Amino acid sequence: MQFIDLKSQYRALKESIDARIQKVLDHGQYILGPEVAEMEGQLAAYTGSKHAISCASGTEALLMSLMALGIGPGDEVITTPFTFAATAEMIVLAGAKPVYVDIDRDTCLIDVTKIEAKITPRTKAIMPVSLYGQVADMDAINAIAEKHKLAVIEDAAQSFGATYKGRKSCNVSTLGCTSFFPSKPLGCYGDGGAIFTNDDLLAKALKEIRTHGQERRYYHTRIGVGGRMDTIQCAVVLGKLERFGWEIERRLALGDLYAKKLAGLKNVKLLTVRGDRDCVWAQYTVFVENREAVVKALAEQGVPTAVHYPLSLNRQPAYRDDASAAETVNSHWAADRVMSLPMSADLTEAQMDRVVAALAAC
């Protein structure tokens, strides 16, 4: 059993993906070829955003967004410690300080009731993470941000395709950043990402930043990076977009089915999905006690698992913050218990039954 079944997905889309890659090989425009603008147009239309700016990775999307906002040394960015390292990593690389706010234990999303207490005169932005495929409470976050004149950057690396109060993830804040890493809900065959905004000035800045700060060739108006997404990877995403709507429907249905089948197991606690949004399950994650033993037992039954994430960022050596670590008790509780199960649009019910049976036997 595959933890994420990319092979079945490729078989279903092989003809289109192969043809699109061959087209790039034929025209030879490997950097900023026509597929880049075509993909950006489709992504903007899908989310309802005015602008979609492709970039080299979801990680690069975060850094470029911070740079476009002018965030740097002496500034603070509020975020969650229960996320992949890239979230805090880019804040630090921009020269700013990550300020950690604990999560809600039921959803693993940032606890919006604790954000305002962390705002200082140095705070410049809030960076919530749409974890596991569910968007954070963006209306409440945006209201806090507006009150304090802050930007909001949605780290939507895991939630492209998700909906919050009728709006698409990546179009619910100042800037939305997503990843096309192969395992994401919409993935390419390497690294890639995109930034979404409705702000014309930010879009212009981002396009310059991704090409070394160039307004035009060899005329550099700002500090930038080599942040372009290559044309072949954009061709892959275009191929995958052909059945992406179906894949999102499948992810939603499989998430509901998992929940029904796992509901009776006393050794498994489910994540809560709030009623005003959905979850596209980039990872189908549950809570278990004695995780090490459960992971071992499932492996013996041929069921792969993963842990996203085993150590909160404010306990990581590179991003350690002892003061906030004492406050983020829910993040540490979750880090000790989360376990992700096999999930992809091509997961079969028979495979899911194997997973559930293995868990029931633990």
Side-chain angles (χ1 to χ4, degrees), residues 38-327:
E38 182 184 356
M39 183 195 75
E40 290 174 342
Q42 289 196 28
L43 295 176
Y46 180 83
T47 61
S49 301
K50 189 173 182 181
H51 303 282
I53 300 95
S54 61
C55 57
S57 67
T59 302
E60 201 81 16
L62 297 174
L63 178 61
M64 289 169 55
S65 294
L66 292 163
M67 293 172 71
L69 291 167
I71 292 172
D75 296 333
E76 295 177 350
V77 178
I78 291 173
T79 191
T80 165
F82 193 62
T83 178
F84 182 59
T87 309
E89 180 182 38
M90 293 303 101
I91 296 170
V92 173
L93 279 177
K97 176 186 176 182
V99 175
Y100 301 108
V101 169
D102 204 8
I103 59 170
D104 171 79
R105 189 177 288 197
D106 292 335
T107 63
C108 289
L109 301 171
I110 193 168
D111 187 339
V112 296
T113 67
K114 297 178 180 178
I115 290 175
E116 204 158 10
K118 291 294 184 179
I119 295 174
T120 75
R122 295 179 297 279
T123 307
K124 294 297 185 291
I126 306 169
M127 189 183 287
V129 177
S130 296
L131 198 68
Y132 302 138
Q134 180 178 195
V135 179
D137 192 353
M138 298 303 293
D139 280 358
I141 292 169
N142 288 332
I144 294 168
E146 184 176 1
K147 177 181 175 181
H148 295 275
K149 296 180 171 53
L150 306 175
V152 178
I153 304 169
E154 182 197 5
D155 182 342
Q158 300 178 18
S159 61
F160 192 79
T163 302
Y164 170 81
K165 295 185 178 180
R167 290 168 282 158
K168 290 293 186 185
S169 176
C170 294
N171 189 23
V172 289
S173 58
T174 316
L175 293 156
C177 300
T178 200
S179 168
F180 302 130
F181 188 79
S183 63
K184 303 302 183 187
L186 179 61
C188 57
Y189 290 157
D191 275 317
I195 309 164
F196 299 81
T197 186
N198 294 308
D199 187 306
D200 293 343
L201 292 177
L202 284 175
K204 181 178 186 296
L206 288 163
K207 289 176 183 178
E208 293 175 4
I209 288 168
R210 77 173 173 187
T211 53
H212 303 284
Q214 294 184 133
E215 184 179 79
R216 59 182 185 271
R217 189 167 175 81
Y218 298 134
Y219 185 76
H220 303 264
T221 55
R222 63 184 76 238
I223 303 299
V225 296
R228 297 161 300 203
M229 182 174 174
D230 73 73
T231 310
I232 286 178
Q233 297 304 336
C234 292
V236 172
V237 170
L238 283 167
K240 290 194 176 188
L241 277 169
E242 293 176 12
R243 75 162 199 169
F244 186 62
W246 174 84
E247 289 195 11
I248 291 298
E249 290 179 3
R250 281 285 295 166
R251 285 179 175 274
L252 297 175
L254 288 168
D256 290 343
L257 191 58
Y258 250 138
K260 290 176 183 177
K261 291 177 180 289
L262 294 170
L265 301 187
K266 295 181 180 179
N267 60 334
V268 177
K269 181 181 184 303
L270 303 180
L271 275 170
T272 298
V273 178
R274 299 296 183 207
D276 58 1
R277 65 203 78 166
D278 57 27
C279 183
V280 296
W281 300 114
Q283 294 89 27
Y284 191 85
T285 301
V286 298
F287 305 104
V288 294
E289 303 292 340
N290 303 314
R291 183 175 62 203
E292 186 176 342
V294 174
V295 167
K296 181 180 178 182
L298 292 180
E300 290 171 352
Q301 296 297 316
V303 175
T305 58
V307 177
H308 306 94
Y309 300 93
L311 191 64
S312 297
L313 294 188
N314 51 0
R315 285 182 165 175
Q316 294 280 2
Y319 310 103
R320 192 173 186 90
D321 183 333
D322 291 333
S324 71
E327 300 174 343

